[in-house]
Amino acid sequence: MEKIIITTERQATLDGLMTLGMLENGLHTADFQCCEDVELDAFSGTFKVEGMRDGNVYMTEKPKRIKNKPIFREDDSSFSHGKDKKYYFFFSLDEDQLELLPEKLVRQASVIAQKVLRELILKQQTV
């Protein structure tokens, strides 16, 4: 039997056994055991999976999430520019530090705002 090689240019229909099930917590499971000699690169990813009433299962891999790289960082916050041409200020704090939130939020937001102003002034001076 000839080995089946799967690449971006070549798809293949494979024979095998699929086991569909449901866990005690209500989540679905699906396992596929291939019965053919196949060679492909191992992979893992996040997929959109559709299980149809007739037993067919369709899977499509979701694109990887592109994270915004922070321009400035502080202890509990960051400032970044997104691919959607929007600026983002992110602040997070542990639940048990709620009484410190106003002080930390104002301080860190002010520090980042000052950094942005300095950056704008430097850009204007170089133009």
Side-chain angles (χ1 to χ4, degrees):
M1 183 189 293
E2 188 177 320
K3 186 173 274 196
I4 301 169
I5 299 173
I6 299 173
T7 63
T8 55
E9 297 86 28
R10 182 164 185 238
Q11 294 183 12
T13 302
L14 304 173
D15 288 328
L17 301 170
M18 181 172 281
T19 305
L20 299 172
M22 189 176 291
L23 301 174
E24 291 177 6
N25 60 6
L27 297 177
H28 295 85
T29 64
D31 295 315
F32 179 77
Q33 289 289 326
C34 185
C35 297
E36 301 187 46
D37 193 14
V38 177
E39 184 178 309
L40 75 143
D41 294 332
F43 64 92
S44 69
T46 304
F47 288 79
K48 174 186 176 190
V49 180
E50 293 180 279
M52 308 312 255
R53 292 174 191 242
D54 60 1
N56 291 336
V57 177
Y58 302 99
M59 297 191 307
T60 307
E61 187 173 8
K62 293 181 178 180
K64 303 257 184 274
R65 177 175 173 246
I66 300 171
K67 294 182 180 179
N68 297 336
K69 291 185 179 138
I71 300 169
F72 301 115
R73 283 189 180 173
E74 281 300 309
D75 296 336
D76 305 300
S77 60
S78 67
F79 180 72
S80 62
H81 188 239
K83 302 279 185 229
D84 57 359
K85 299 183 180 181
K86 293 182 182 179
Y87 287 97
Y88 293 90
F89 177 80
F90 177 79
F91 180 82
S92 67
L93 196 64
D94 290 335
E95 197 173 276
D96 60 343
Q97 297 182 336
L98 182 61
E99 67 280 352
L100 300 174
L101 186 138
E103 177 188 324
K104 284 189 167 195
L105 179 60
V106 169
R107 185 185 62 76
Q108 292 180 33
S110 295
V111 169
I112 287 180
Q114 290 170 3
K115 289 179 181 180
V116 171
L117 278 174
R118 269 187 249 132
E119 188 95 1
L120 288 172
I121 292 169
L122 283 175
K123 280 186 182 179
Q124 288 176 353
Q125 290 175 351
T126 58
V127 173

